[in-house]
Amino acid sequence: MNVQPQNAGGYGSPQQQKSVYSVAPQRYQALTRGHKRTSRWAGVVGLNLMSLGASVIISTIVLSAIVAIFAGISSSADGNPGLRGFDEFLGQFGAPLVFAAAGLIGAVIFVVGMLSSVAILRAGEVHRPWAITWSAFAISLPVLWVVNTVYWVVGQVVQMAGVFAVLAPTFDSGFAGGGNPVGLPFGMSVESSVVISLVIAAVGLLVAIIVIGVIGSLAWWWMAHAFRVRVPVASGD
C-alpha cells in the first residue's frame, strides 16, 4: 500500500492557517502639530456656529409652543377683549412665518458650522472629519448645558444688580424727598446707561464666544486623537 506523504504546507496546515488568519499588528499614528492645530481651530469655529444654530432652533420651538398655547386659549375665550387682541396681534405679526424663518435661519447656521468644521479638518488632512465633527459636538453638549446654566445665573445676578442700582436712588431721594421718583445712579444720563448696557452685553458675548471656543477646541482635539489613522507596525518597530 502506497502512503502519500502529507504536504507540510498544504491546506489546513499550521503554516497556511497562520498566513490566512494572522493580522499584521497596527498602531495609531501620532497627530502632527498641524493636525492638532487644525482640529482645535475646527472646534472653535464649528462649535460656536453649531451651538448658535441649535440655540436658535430650540428657542424658536419653545417660543412657538408658548405662542400656540396662548393662541389656543385666546381663540377659545369668547367675549374677552384682551385675549382677542392678543390673537389679532399674532395675526398682524405673522407669527407662523416669523417662527418658520427663525427656525430656517438656525438650521442654516448649524449646517454652515458643521460644513466649516469638516472643511477645516479636510484642509488640514485630519483623518475622518465627519466622525470627528459629530462626535465632538455630541460630547460638547453636556458641557455646554452646564456652561449655559452658569452663564444664565451670572447674567441674572448682573441684571438684578443693575436694576437695584437704578432703583436705589429713587428710594433715597425720590420717594423719601418727595422729588422725581425716576432717576439713574451716580448722576448718569440715559445715553450713558445705554452705552454701559451695550458694553456689558458685548463683553458677555465675547466671553461666551471664548468659552465655547475653548470647549470646542478641546472636544475636537480629543476626537481627532481618538480617530487617528491606524498604520501597520514595521518589523523593526
Side-chain angles (χ1 to χ4, degrees):
M1 184 174 70
N2 296 328
V3 178
Q4 297 289 340
Q6 291 184 345
N7 186 3
Y11 180 78
S13 64
Q15 290 84 353
Q16 188 188 34
Q17 291 179 359
K18 182 177 180 181
S19 62
V20 172
Y21 297 105
S22 62
V23 178
Q26 295 181 334
R27 62 178 175 84
Y28 287 101
Q29 189 177 30
L31 291 177
T32 64
R33 183 175 299 179
H35 290 162
K36 295 177 182 178
R37 181 173 59 253
T38 300
S39 62
R40 291 193 181 105
W41 275 113
V44 172
V45 176
L47 187 58
N48 267 291
L49 292 176
M50 293 173 74
S51 61
L52 176 60
S55 299
V56 172
I57 294 173
I58 294 173
S59 301
T60 302
I61 294 174
V62 173
L63 289 177
S64 61
I66 294 174
V67 170
I69 292 174
F70 278 98
I73 295 174
S74 64
S75 61
S76 61
D78 297 332
N80 191 323
L83 293 178
R84 285 203 312 269
F86 178 77
D87 198 17
E88 293 175 357
F89 168 75
L90 290 180
Q92 296 175 356
F93 182 64
L97 293 178
V98 171
F99 287 134
L104 181 60
I105 292 173
V108 170
I109 295 174
F110 183 88
V111 172
V112 169
M114 177 184 62
L115 295 179
S116 298
S117 169
V118 173
I120 294 173
L121 292 172
R122 281 181 174 173
E125 297 181 350
V126 181
H127 188 54
R128 300 189 65 181
W130 284 101
I132 293 173
T133 299
W134 281 112
S135 58
F137 178 73
I139 66 174
S140 300
L141 291 178
V143 183
L144 285 176
W145 182 81
V146 174
V147 171
N148 288 334
T149 302
V150 174
Y151 194 77
W152 180 84
V153 171
V154 173
Q156 294 300 312
V157 172
V158 173
Q159 183 179 1
M160 291 302 298
V163 171
F164 178 79
V166 170
L167 295 181
T170 64
F171 294 99
D172 296 337
S173 60
F175 293 107
N180 187 2
V182 178
L184 293 172
F186 312 114
M188 290 191 304
S189 62
V190 176
E191 292 79 6
S192 300
S193 63
V194 171
V195 171
I196 292 176
S197 300
L198 293 177
V199 170
I200 293 175
V203 172
L205 178 61
L206 180 61
V207 171
I209 293 174
I210 293 175
V211 172
I212 294 175
V214 171
I215 296 172
S217 173
L218 295 176
W220 260 251
W221 170 81
W222 183 14
M223 289 300 98
H225 183 79
F227 288 106
R228 289 170 297 166
V229 63
R230 300 180 67 175
V231 294
V233 178
S235 59
D237 292 347

